[in-house]
Amino acid sequence: GVGVSPSGARAVLEFRGEIVTVPAEKGDPRYLTTTPGIYERDPSWSPDGKTIAYFSDASGEYELVLANQDGKGQPRSLKLKGTGFYFNPVWSRDSKKILYRDIAQALYILDVESGKITRIVEPRFGIDSCAVYSSWSPDSKWVAYSMTTAAQIGRIYVYSLEKEKSFPVTDGLSEATDPVF
């Protein structure tokens, strides 16, 4: 797992189960974790540049960890809803929410401040590889994602955080995946 800071000055990466940031040019690597026997993965840098989210099995179950990008202070661990193994934390553009998926390909939104988790959708037609592709709107009020139909064709939806409801954007008659605002 790899991510770049909003300024482009540093990158965050998963390296042998640890989370480390490295400078683009000059400077030293900064280990956010030094935890032998614990696996941290899928780092994601918040758009405001302050926080790095990653998954950790330190508690015995995977949780989402929020750590200061400078490595200072105590990281915050959040228990997640879903099926035990999680992927792809994607920050909202206002750095207030995180979209993630579980091993069953269900999509969830985590409110960073309150810890509230909302399931957006779960696959209805088996494991759904299309649910991997999702993105936030610039105002952080919508999520776009693709989901497979009964005919196994990718269809694009948008989810309104305000209405807590998904709306189809494509007709499902031709393949559509990888939505981006």
Side-chain angles (χ1 to χ4, degrees):
V2 177
V4 177
S5 70
S7 69
R10 294 186 77 84
V12 61
L13 32 114
E14 165 191 332
F15 176 72
R16 296 182 178 213
E18 303 294 348
I19 304 299
V20 61
T21 68
V22 294
E25 293 183 27
K26 295 180 182 179
D28 296 321
R30 184 181 303 141
Y31 281 82
L32 298 183
T33 64
T34 51
T35 50
I38 295 172
Y39 188 49
E40 280 101 5
R41 60 182 184 74
D42 279 356
S44 178
W45 214 304
S46 65
D48 65 9
K50 297 177 182 177
T51 309
I52 295 173
Y54 58 90
F55 297 111
S56 173
D57 68 355
S59 72
E61 298 292 330
Y62 272 105
E63 295 179 345
L64 185 72
V65 177
L66 304 175
N68 291 333
Q69 65 83 24
D70 60 8
K72 296 179 181 174
Q74 186 66 26
R76 177 180 168 207
S77 293
L78 300 162
K79 290 190 183 293
L80 300 174
K81 288 184 182 177
T83 309
F85 199 77
Y86 308 101
F87 302 92
N88 196 30
V90 179
W91 286 89
S92 61
R93 296 191 187 178
D94 63 6
S95 299
K96 294 182 179 180
K97 294 179 176 45
I98 296 174
L99 182 67
Y100 70 92
R101 63 187 174 91
D102 67 12
I103 198 158
Q105 305 299 337
L107 290 175
Y108 299 86
I109 294 175
L110 167 73
D111 183 289
V112 171
E113 185 177 320
S114 70
K116 178 186 174 195
I117 297 172
T118 303
R119 184 177 63 207
I120 295 177
V121 68
E122 64 183 52
R124 296 188 327 239
F125 307 107
I127 297 294
D128 195 332
S129 61
C130 287
V132 173
Y133 308 108
S134 53
S135 72
W136 286 92
S137 65
D139 63 5
S140 300
K141 294 182 180 181
W142 295 84
V143 171
Y145 64 93
S146 61
M147 224 34 182
T148 301
T149 66
Q152 298 299 300
I153 296 173
R155 186 174 189 188
I156 305 294
Y157 295 83
V158 291
Y159 177 83
S160 166
L161 274 72
E162 182 179 286
K163 296 183 180 181
E164 298 181 345
K165 183 177 178 182
S166 290
F167 302 91
V169 176
T170 61
D171 59 15
L173 298 175
S174 58
E175 185 77 12
T177 61
D178 302 334
V180 176
F181 278 95

